[in-house]
């Protein structure tokens, strides 16, 4: 179960092998004490952060020497803003999350001088990362030819599925294996409306998120995207997502469904997740992204058995946004070498990775089945009450740590198969820096917030409102954004052509 490969600087290893253990090498090994600050996103109490930091420090003192760890947990909703403030004020940040959203791409963070380059550090101290993380994933953390970030071990793509409460599906004799198209979905929603008039057949997620079932790659912001990676041909230009026929067809269908009472009204302004609405018995179905084991994830979150049908063929694709959740070395690190040693330890040592991802055994979780490598919450706790929210998948922790809470025993095998099946976008690994078009990006974001969610939730008639949407995007500078993104994309493709 436990793995560890001794973390030794490459130069020192050569000296030892040659019998030339010099006083300089000894000094390098007996380094000055240093505390590595890891700024992660999630939910944890101060007591939990202190306990996890103490346990991690015990391991780093033994494996690296003169090294302790301090965990700083920031709410995911405010993570980007908090991290920006920490870095801009010069506060010490050794390891931090990157590629969190479109506005925090690896390229943007690098050009904002928020990240340090990693190539030389990886060669010296990151051998386990280089051994374990596939090249296809590593390129998602590069800007030009230099590595600035390391992707986490997780599902690297997504499908888009139709989710339904199983009790309702069974009562209506819905065979989810036959639900493959939007016409099939519509037939099911009509059955739900007729049989269950007091609940909504379909609801979007918070803020009106209601993904169109097409394998599109937003390429950091939809304005300048690949509308369908399955149909992409080399040389096809990036386009405005909102001008595509796919978007028009989808919003037209949603407007029809809303008019027929098949969709929860005012969905664009919803502040409640569709999982919570299902749990409360207010909604029967949802259209959402699928990950490895989507039925298991939703059943665990909803508290009811959920069944899922995939709506794409091929089922899975990996776009630029699926390369998110990475970790880099902050520009305010006072000892990047030690930061890289700790980052490498996540890949090298299972005990360290388990503690970082799940907390302290016997405090934040307990062993469920040691042979199956599974864990469970402590008695009386669940995902909403635990003091240390699990954060697996954001680090190169490998696939032999404990199975995540609430997932099936063979989850890591499911993830590996999932990643093998993904069709990768031609833009996977590209990182866009919008610094040249910040004003246009902000102006377009305002227009998108006005039209997009209401259109995708069926609240606006696309026949009259979509032309206005497109016209206002152009006036806000959409074409300039596409031109800038296309230029960077072409340069990236040329640099990565060999």
């Amino acid at each position: 179960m436990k793995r560890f490969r001794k973390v030794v600087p490459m130069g020192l290893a050569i000296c030892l092998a040659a019998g030339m253990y010099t006083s300089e090498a000894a000094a390098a090994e007996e380094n000055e004490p240093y505390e590595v600050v890891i700024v992660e996103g999630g939910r944890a109490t101060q007591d939990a952060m202190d306990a996890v930091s103490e346990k991690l420090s015990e391991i780093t003192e033994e494996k690296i020497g003169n090294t302790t760890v301090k965990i700083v947990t920031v709410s995911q909703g405010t993570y980007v803003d908090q991290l920006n403030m920490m870095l801009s004020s010069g506060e010490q940040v050794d390891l931090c999350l990157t590629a969190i959203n479109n506005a925090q791409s690896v390229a943007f963070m690098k050009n904002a001088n928020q990240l340090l380059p990693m190539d030389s550090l990886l060669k010296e101290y990151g051998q386990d990362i280089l051994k374990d993380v596939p090249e296809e994933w590593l390129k998602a953390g590069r800007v030009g030819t230099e590595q600035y970030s390391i992707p986490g071990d997780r599902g690297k793509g997504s499908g888009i599925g139709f989710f339904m409460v199983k009790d309702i599906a069974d009562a209506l004799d819905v065979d989810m294996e036959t639900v493959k198209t939007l016409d099939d979905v519509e037939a099911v929603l009509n059955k739900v409306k007729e049989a269950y008039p007091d609940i909504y057949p379909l609801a979007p997620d918070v803020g009106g998120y209601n993904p169109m079932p097409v394998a599109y790659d937003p390429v950091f912001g939809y304005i300048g995207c690949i509308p369908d990676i399955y149909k992409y041909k080399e040389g096809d230009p990036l386009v405005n997502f909102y001008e595509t026929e796919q978007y028009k067809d989808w919003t037209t269908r949603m407007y029809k469904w809303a008019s027929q009472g098949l969709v929860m009204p005012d969905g664009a302004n919803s502040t409640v997740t569709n999982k919570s609405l299902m749990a409360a018995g207010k909604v029967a179905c949802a259209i959402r992204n699928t990950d490895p084991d989507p039925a298991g994830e939703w059943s665990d979150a909803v508290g009811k058995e959920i069944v899922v049908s995939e709506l794409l063929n091929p089922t899975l694709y990996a776009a630029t946004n699926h390369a998110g959740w990475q970790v880099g070395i902050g520009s305010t690190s006072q000892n990047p070498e030690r930061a890289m040693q700790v980052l490498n330890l996540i890949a090298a040592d299972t005990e360290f990775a388990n503690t970082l991802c799940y907390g302290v055994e016997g405090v934040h979780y307990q062993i469920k089945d040691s042979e199956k490598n599974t864990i469970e919450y402590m008695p009386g706790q669940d995902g909403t009450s635990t003091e240390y929210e699990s954060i697996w998948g954001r680090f190169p922790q490998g696939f032999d740590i404990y199975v995540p809470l609430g997932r099936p025993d063979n989850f890591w095998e499911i993830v590996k198969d999932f990643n093998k099946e993904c069709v990768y976008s031609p833009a996977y690994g590209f990182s866009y820096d919008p610094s040249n078009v910040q004003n246009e990006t902000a102006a377009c974001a305002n227009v998108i917030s006005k039209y997009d969610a209401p259109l995708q939730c069926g609240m606006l008639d696309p026949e009259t409102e979509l032309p206005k949407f497109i016209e206002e995007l152009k006036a806000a500078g959409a074409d300039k954004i596409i031109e800038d993104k296309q230029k960077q994309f072409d340069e990236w493709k040329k640099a990565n052509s060999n």
Side-chain angles (χ1 to χ4, degrees), residues 93-111:
V93 175
D94 292 291
L95 296 175
C96 61
L97 300 178
T98 68
I100 301 166
N101 56 31
N102 292 335
Q104 198 77 355
S105 70
V106 178
F108 177 84
M109 292 183 72
K110 177 263 180 182
N111 290 334

Side-chain angles (χ1 to χ4, degrees), residues 242-303:
Y242 305 107
E243 292 187 52
T244 64
E245 285 300 313
Q246 294 101 313
Y247 186 78
K248 181 179 180 181
D249 291 345
W250 172 241
T251 54
T252 299
R253 184 181 289 268
M254 288 304 304
Y255 184 68
K256 182 182 81 167
W257 285 0
S259 301
Q260 294 172 347
L262 302 181
V263 181
M264 184 178 77
D266 201 32
N269 299 313
S270 175
T271 58
V272 183
T273 67
N274 37 26
K275 291 177 182 175
S276 297
L277 291 167
M278 280 184 171
K282 296 180 179 179
V283 168
C285 309
I287 295 175
R288 279 299 308 270
N289 300 90
T290 58
D291 69 351
D293 185 40
E297 180 205 351
W298 275 62
S299 296
D300 183 58
V302 173

Side-chain angles (χ1 to χ4, degrees), residues 404-424:
L405 294 149
R407 297 305 180 102
D409 296 350
N410 63 337
F411 178 69
W412 290 128
E413 293 305 315
I414 294 174
V415 173
K416 292 176 186 177
D417 291 340
F418 179 96
N419 288 335
K420 288 177 183 177
E421 293 175 14
C422 283
V423 177
Y424 281 82

Side-chain angles (χ1 to χ4, degrees), residues 215-217 219 225-239 246 423-428 486 489-490 492-493:
Y216 55 86
D217 187 340
V219 193
C225 78
I226 296 173
D228 190 335
I229 68 171
Y230 297 157
K231 298 179 180 179
Y232 178 85
K233 297 182 180 63
E234 182 60 37
D236 284 353
L238 301 178
V239 300
Q246 294 101 313
V423 177
Y424 281 82
S425 165
Y428 190 89
Q486 184 74 60
F489 182 49
D490 291 343
W492 173 82
K493 285 197 297 181

Side-chain angles (χ1 to χ4, degrees), residues 76 240-241 292 334:
Q76 268 183 224
N240 185 340
F241 175 73
Q334 300 170 29

Side-chain angles (χ1 to χ4, degrees), residues 90-413:
E91 186 173 346
Q92 180 184 338
V93 175
D94 292 291
L95 296 175
C96 61
L97 300 178
T98 68
I100 301 166
N101 56 31
N102 292 335
Q104 198 77 355
S105 70
V106 178
F108 177 84
M109 292 183 72
K110 177 263 180 182
N111 290 334
N113 297 316
Q114 294 181 333
L115 298 175
L116 295 178
M118 288 183 166
D119 279 5
S120 61
L121 294 170
L122 278 167
K123 291 176 183 176
E124 187 75 11
Y125 303 104
Q127 294 303 304
D128 296 290
I129 293 171
L130 294 175
K131 178 178 180 295
D132 293 346
V133 181
E135 169 63 23
E136 183 74 21
W137 300 358
L138 281 174
K139 71 180 185 180
R142 291 195 189 116
V143 180
T145 59
E146 184 82 28
Q147 198 79 36
Y148 281 88
S149 192
I150 303 297
D153 287 327
R154 59 187 293 121
K156 290 297 176 181
S158 172
I160 296 179
F162 178 62
F163 294 73
M164 189 171 187
V165 177
K166 186 177 186 299
D167 286 347
I168 297 177
D170 290 345
L172 298 178
D173 293 324
V174 174
D175 179 2
M176 293 294 280
E177 292 295 321
T178 67
V179 182
K180 298 298 181 185
T181 70
L182 289 176
D183 287 339
D184 299 332
V185 170
E186 185 172 323
V188 173
L189 297 180
N190 276 305
K191 281 188 175 183
V192 173
K193 180 187 176 186
E194 182 177 348
Y196 297 89
D198 295 331
I199 67 174
Y200 300 119
L202 183 75
D205 207 354
V206 172
Y209 181 65
N210 197 36
M212 177 176 72
V214 175
Y216 55 86
D217 187 340
V219 193
F220 300 93
Y222 296 97
I223 297 177
C225 78
I226 296 173
D228 190 335
I229 68 171
Y230 297 157
K231 298 179 180 179
Y232 178 85
K233 297 182 180 63
E234 182 60 37
D236 284 353
L238 301 178
V239 300
N240 185 340
F241 175 73
Y242 305 107
E243 292 187 52
T244 64
E245 285 300 313
Q246 294 101 313
Y247 186 78
K248 181 179 180 181
D249 291 345
W250 172 241
T251 54
T252 299
R253 184 181 289 268
M254 288 304 304
Y255 184 68
K256 182 182 81 167
W257 285 0
S259 301
Q260 294 172 347
L262 302 181
V263 181
M264 184 178 77
D266 201 32
N269 299 313
S270 175
T271 58
V272 183
T273 67
N274 37 26
K275 291 177 182 175
S276 297
L277 291 167
M278 280 184 171
K282 296 180 179 179
V283 168
C285 309
I287 295 175
R288 279 299 308 270
N289 300 90
T290 58
D291 69 351
D293 185 40
E297 180 205 351
W298 275 62
S299 296
D300 183 58
V302 173
K304 303 174 183 178
E305 188 171 356
I306 305 297
V307 286
V308 184
S309 175
E310 297 282 356
L311 297 177
L312 297 181
N313 186 24
T315 301
L316 304 172
Y317 69 101
T320 50
N321 53 313
H322 298 128
W325 294 114
Q326 303 183 30
V327 59
I329 298 176
S331 57
T332 56
S333 173
Q334 300 170 29
N335 193 326
E337 294 79 9
R338 205 76 60 85
M340 177 56 74
Q341 286 179 279
V342 169
L343 180 55
N344 188 70
L345 193 61
I346 300 172
D349 188 82
T350 304
E351 183 183 11
F352 188 86
N354 274 327
T355 304
L356 177 64
C357 292
Y358 302 120
V360 179
E361 181 183 345
V363 179
H364 307 117
Y365 70 88
Q366 61 186 10
I367 304 298
K368 180 180 180 181
D369 189 322
S370 58
E371 292 186 1
K372 294 181 179 179
N373 211 25
T374 56
I375 58 177
E376 60 188 1
Y377 292 110
M378 298 299 293
Q381 294 186 359
D382 59 23
T384 63
S385 60
T386 181
E387 292 188 344
Y388 189 81
E389 183 180 41
S390 62
I391 55 171
W392 64 271
R394 303 171 187 183
F395 304 93
Q397 82 280 325
F399 294 127
D400 55 358
I401 64 168
Y402 293 127
V403 172
L405 294 149
R407 297 305 180 102
D409 296 350
N410 63 337
F411 178 69
W412 290 128
E413 293 305 315

